[in-house]
Amino acid sequence: MQPQIVLLKEGTDTSQGKPQLISNINACQSIVDAVRTTLGPRGMDKLIVDSNGKATVSNDGATIMKLLDIVHPAAKTLVDIAKSQDAEVGDGTTSVVLLAGEILKQLKGYVEEGVHSRILIKAIRKSLQLCMEKINEMAVHVEKQSKDDQQRALLEKCAATAMSSKLIHQQKDFFAKMVVDAVLSLDDLLPLNMIGIKKVSGGSLEDSQLIAGVAFKKTFSYAGFEMAPKSYNNCKIALLNIELELKAERDNAEIRVDNVKEYQKVVDAEWQILYNKLDKIHQSGANVVLSKLPIGDVATQYFADRNMFCAGRVPEEDLKRTLKACGGAVMTTANDINASVLGQCEYFEERQIGSERFNVFQGCPNARTCTLILRGGAEQFLEETERSLHDAIMIVRRTIKHDSVVAGE
């Protein structure tokens, strides 16, 4: 048998055993040093500029780790640790990276002395077991009573703790109440996607507000929009995935006609198709028409004349949240629209928030949902505020689901 020849790229590191373990630990240490200074109330923010020139200011461990361009495969495991912590718990992403790095640092001396890695792993597992026992011993159990003032105070403390090291720590009391209100307004399973977060530049942080219902920015609108009513009580909502404007001719379409009358019939037929769709939507009894696809100027004017509100190009995320909260179904054809597929809400309004117009649906019967509208200065500042609130929301959800907490130093 011929011996196998393995070709490796130039510059490939083929070291094995002890030198490779030391190399892995050193790589992890350099990552830990990059995020070490962001930890705690006195932690500093990092300004990271990616290859496209987009600047991000953050002290959220997971965000920084994702933005770092890490090539070393062992160091990438630290990124995965931060990501899984962010997805599961929400906060503490920097802490888990630092703990992992510190454990590796303590083990480095033993590796250099030649202690086998199996023995080291056994020792770490034993220490984990002792830590878990100590944590369970220190934990304080909280009785689960949703309207209990004591539980609410605890949740607010947890939310404030999650924000104490963030950019918005000075307003943590204001946001802690808002976050707890948002999470307690959800259904029992506390679905995270039912809390919408929208950012509006301008104003101060205290101008931020919590809306009990679905709210999203007014989409692009055509002439005739201003004539449509801007509020309804007991509103019926048609959710569509239909383009309500005249379709442009396809490039390869060819129509041969003998005279002008024949051509006029073709044009009239196109208009008639659109008017038939609009008429069927009007007949269904809907007051508000939302579509993922564009709603053209003819349709906008048609709806305005019949005291109906319409919005096209609604983002899919917002349409789905409206669907879950208000009921109904997203229709892909105008033929089957009737009262049974319409969503409902107690009150609809288009209102001005800062420099933006927002469509607001309140009193949704199907699922409980809420929207946080954040105000503030620079775009990076608003993005960091959103990340901080996400961490606080995740912590409050976790506290509600698990009935015990451990005080921190």
Side-chain angles (χ1 to χ4, degrees), residues 219-222 245 290-295 311-316:
T219 52
F220 178 82
S221 53
Y222 287 90
E245 60 182 354
L290 302 178
S291 180
K292 204 166 106 178
L293 298 173
I295 294 179
R313 294 194 178 102
V314 177
E316 189 174 5

Side-chain angles (χ1 to χ4, degrees), residues 295-408:
I295 294 179
D297 45 2
V298 175
T300 305
Q301 188 67 58
Y302 181 96
F303 289 136
D305 291 343
R306 286 154 185 77
N307 285 333
M308 292 165 70
F309 177 93
C310 68
R313 294 194 178 102
V314 177
E316 189 174 5
E317 169 206 345
D318 292 323
L319 199 69
K320 279 184 176 172
R321 212 152 57 87
T322 311
L323 170 68
K324 280 185 181 172
C326 302
V330 176
M331 304 301 291
T332 53
T333 171
N335 294 327
D336 302 328
I337 296 178
N338 53 49
S340 65
V341 296
L342 298 180
Q344 289 181 316
C345 75
E346 285 175 18
Y347 183 64
F348 165 80
E349 179 190 13
E350 184 186 293
R351 71 170 77 147
Q352 188 83 20
I353 299 176
S355 58
E356 301 280 356
R357 300 283 292 172
F358 268 78
N359 298 336
V360 180
F361 299 85
Q362 289 180 300
C364 307
N366 270 35
R368 298 195 298 171
T369 180
C370 61
T371 308
L372 292 162
I373 296 179
L374 305 180
R375 307 295 309 280
E379 191 183 332
Q380 283 99 337
F381 183 75
L382 278 172
E383 283 177 6
E384 178 63 2
T385 305
E386 183 185 1
R387 282 191 287 270
S388 306
L389 288 183
H390 172 266
D391 286 5
I393 287 165
M394 292 290 280
I395 289 295
V396 172
R397 284 174 75 232
R398 175 71 45 177
T399 312
I400 291 172
K401 284 182 179 177
H402 297 268
D403 59 349
S404 54
V405 289
V406 179

Side-chain angles (χ1 to χ4, degrees), residues 66-274:
K66 283 176 199 166
L67 292 170
L68 290 175
D69 192 11
I70 297 168
V71 180
H72 197 287
K76 277 184 181 174
T77 56
L78 286 182
V79 181
D80 293 336
I81 290 170
K83 280 182 182 174
S84 58
Q85 175 76 2
D86 195 39
E88 192 63 31
V89 182
D91 199 16
T93 46
T94 309
S95 306
V96 289
V97 172
L98 291 184
L99 280 170
E102 200 57 38
I103 290 168
L104 289 172
K105 186 179 173 184
Q106 297 300 325
L107 295 179
K108 188 176 171 185
Y110 295 108
V111 172
E112 286 169 340
E113 286 172 18
V115 179
H116 198 280
S117 51
R118 289 285 293 274
I119 297 166
L120 297 176
I121 289 292
K122 193 175 177 184
I124 290 170
R125 286 190 176 139
K126 179 68 179 169
S127 62
L128 171 66
Q129 188 186 334
L130 292 169
C131 286
M132 292 302 291
E133 284 171 10
K134 189 68 181 168
I135 284 171
N136 288 329
E137 189 185 306
M138 292 164 64
V140 178
H141 288 273
V142 185
E143 293 299 320
K144 284 194 177 181
Q145 292 171 340
S146 58
K147 291 185 178 157
D148 189 6
D149 291 339
Q150 187 186 352
Q151 195 206 16
R152 187 183 168 86
L154 173 75
L155 294 177
E156 283 182 13
K157 278 181 192 167
C158 291
T161 304
M163 286 186 271
S164 59
S165 63
K166 307 291 184 189
L167 206 61
I168 53 171
H169 65 92
Q170 287 173 322
Q171 284 84 13
K172 64 183 180 184
D173 293 334
F174 170 76
F175 281 114
K177 288 187 177 69
M178 194 183 281
V179 164
V180 173
D181 285 337
V183 177
L184 290 179
S185 71
L186 298 181
D187 294 318
D188 294 339
L189 291 173
L190 306 176
L192 192 64
N193 60 355
M194 293 308 276
I195 300 179
I197 300 180
K198 303 293 173 190
K199 303 183 285 285
V200 180
S201 296
S204 68
L205 278 172
E206 265 86 6
D207 293 336
S208 301
Q209 56 183 286
L210 176 68
I211 292 176
V214 182
F216 53 84
K217 282 182 190 176
K218 170 180 173 253
T219 52
F220 178 82
S221 53
Y222 287 90
F225 182 82
E226 289 307 322
M227 295 164 63
K230 298 293 184 282
S231 64
Y232 296 98
N233 287 317
N234 296 324
C235 158
K236 289 188 168 57
I237 308 154
L239 302 164
L240 308 175
N241 191 5
I242 309 172
E243 194 171 350
L244 294 175
E245 60 182 354
L246 286 172
K247 296 258 185 163
E249 291 294 345
R250 288 188 180 171
D251 296 339
N252 59 353
E254 186 178 317
I255 302 170
R256 297 191 181 188
V257 290
D258 298 332
N259 54 48
V260 177
K261 283 183 182 175
E262 292 288 322
Y263 177 71
Q264 189 60 44
K265 280 182 185 173
V266 174
V267 175
D268 289 347
E270 284 188 318
W271 282 86
Q272 200 53 49
I273 289 167
L274 177 63

